[in-house]
Amino acid sequence: MGLKRNVSLGTGLRYKGGGPMLVFVLHRIGGLGMATFVTIHILSSFFGGDIGQFANQIYENWVFQIFIFFFVLFHAINGLRITILDLWPKLIPYQREAIWVEWAVFLPIYALAAFVILRTGLAGG
Amino acid sequence: MASKSRNLSITGRGLTNFESIMWVFTRLSALGMYALILFAIIGALIMGARNNMNMADVLRWGFMPNVTHVASTDVPDTAPFATPFWKLVASALLLVATAHGVHGLVVIADDYITSEGGRKIVRLLSIIMMVSMSLMGLYIIWTS
């Protein structure tokens, strides 16, 4: 692979990709986050002990759950959009519209879940 | 050229190398995980989750149908959740998810690491991680 890039990180950050770029970046961050989450969760379940319990306590905390649920749900819904558009390539010209549909599906589900987690969390549940 | 090849059908693009096969695998495994998670959620509802589990507990079971994930709920008897059948479903989900995840890590490494050697190292580390996580996960599923 003759990969050669003459683009610096600063130029990359200033790239104005708009909506599609935003979902691309969120999909990446969410994927990396889940890989980290699952790895630590498997390690803590496998080895147990004090450190394992400490890790699992963080995962059960409602602040962490609001955070991780955003990325898991976004990765799942955005992944479904990518899969549908890639398996039916005739839909690719409509990808901006598909991204609007994706947000319309994601935001109500996430808002409801975040509300429930927040209410239980603040009630000390 | 870019817009033309993008609009070709799946078969028209040709699955000639490892990367394009993995490209398709990433999409299909996403659908597979949707199917497995829905299957586990429906199974939990049939096994009485609708009276004894809240939505978060059902989802936690859905994302990994391992019996320890229902241990802290109000389900009176966790035995139906601990059958070899659900261990097989959990193993399938674990293996599909790690395979999907490791290719994601490799793609991200390919995008941001410019040196050939660095990409090889990250590729190797990702594969080692995938294999060890699969084995540890299988051990946890079948001994819990």
Side-chain angles (χ1 to χ4, degrees):
Chain A
M1 285 184 288
L3 295 175
K4 197 165 187 341
R5 302 171 195 78
N6 294 316
V7 179
S8 69
L9 181 66
T11 318
L13 288 175
R14 270 183 270 110
Y15 174 67
K16 291 186 176 61
M21 179 70 178
L22 178 69
V23 295
F24 167 82
V25 169
L26 285 176
H27 196 81
R28 292 225 143 156
I29 297 173
L32 277 177
M34 265 190 282
T36 316
F37 167 81
V38 170
T39 306
I40 296 175
H41 189 53
I42 291 179
L43 284 174
S44 64
S45 309
F46 187 78
F47 292 110
D50 286 345
I51 298 172
Q53 272 179 356
F54 177 69
N56 281 339
Q57 267 166 10
I58 293 177
Y59 289 160
E60 284 165 15
N61 190 286
W62 62 271
V63 180
F64 182 82
Q65 288 186 347
I66 285 187
F67 180 73
I68 194 78
F69 191 65
F70 177 88
F71 287 112
V72 172
L73 188 69
F74 187 83
H75 198 88
I77 291 176
N78 190 49
L80 192 59
R81 172 189 66 88
I82 294 172
T83 305
I84 292 172
L85 262 63
D86 278 348
L87 293 185
W88 286 276
K90 279 183 184 150
L91 296 173
I92 288 180
Y94 304 101
Q95 79 146 333
R96 276 173 192 275
E97 288 81 354
I99 290 171
W100 283 112
V101 173
E102 176 192 332
W103 283 112
V105 173
F106 171 80
L107 285 176
I109 300 179
Y110 182 69
L112 186 66
F115 172 72
V116 173
I117 298 173
L118 201 63
R119 203 182 51 176
T120 332
L122 291 180
Chain B
M1 182 203 127
S3 66
K4 242 195 155 128
S5 62
R6 265 172 29 152
N7 287 309
L8 276 176
S9 70
I10 284 284
T11 44
R13 271 175 274 190
L15 295 174
T16 47
N17 60 32
F18 178 71
E19 286 306 318
S20 55
I21 291 169
M22 283 310 288
W23 184 90
V24 173
F25 171 78
T26 306
R27 272 82 188 151
L28 294 183
S29 61
L31 289 181
M33 281 189 281
Y34 261 97
L36 285 168
I37 291 170
L38 278 177
F39 184 72
I41 290 175
I42 293 169
L45 292 172
I46 291 171
M47 292 186 292
R50 63 191 183 283
N51 295 323
N52 300 308
M53 283 163 89
N54 61 36
M55 194 60 202
D57 290 332
V58 174
L59 281 181
R60 187 161 62 143
W61 160 264
F63 284 130
M64 178 39 72
N66 185 22
V67 65
T68 51
H69 279 175
V70 290
S72 61
T73 63
D74 296 332
V75 171
D77 180 18
T78 55
F81 292 86
T83 54
F85 172 74
W86 285 117
K87 286 180 199 275
L88 278 177
V89 176
S91 307
L93 187 55
L94 172 79
L95 294 177
V96 171
T98 43
H100 180 98
V102 73
H103 190 248
L105 292 180
V106 165
V107 167
I108 293 176
D110 281 354
D111 273 1
Y112 298 112
I113 298 172
T114 41
S115 80
E116 193 86 34
R119 278 200 300 276
K120 279 209 176 101
I121 292 170
V122 173
R123 217 163 240 261
L124 190 68
L125 284 177
S126 303
I127 292 167
I128 291 171
M129 197 175 103
M130 177 191 105
V131 173
S132 51
M133 286 308 125
S134 304
L135 292 176
M136 282 183 195
L138 286 176
Y139 176 83
I140 295 166
I141 289 169
W142 288 93
T143 55
S144 61

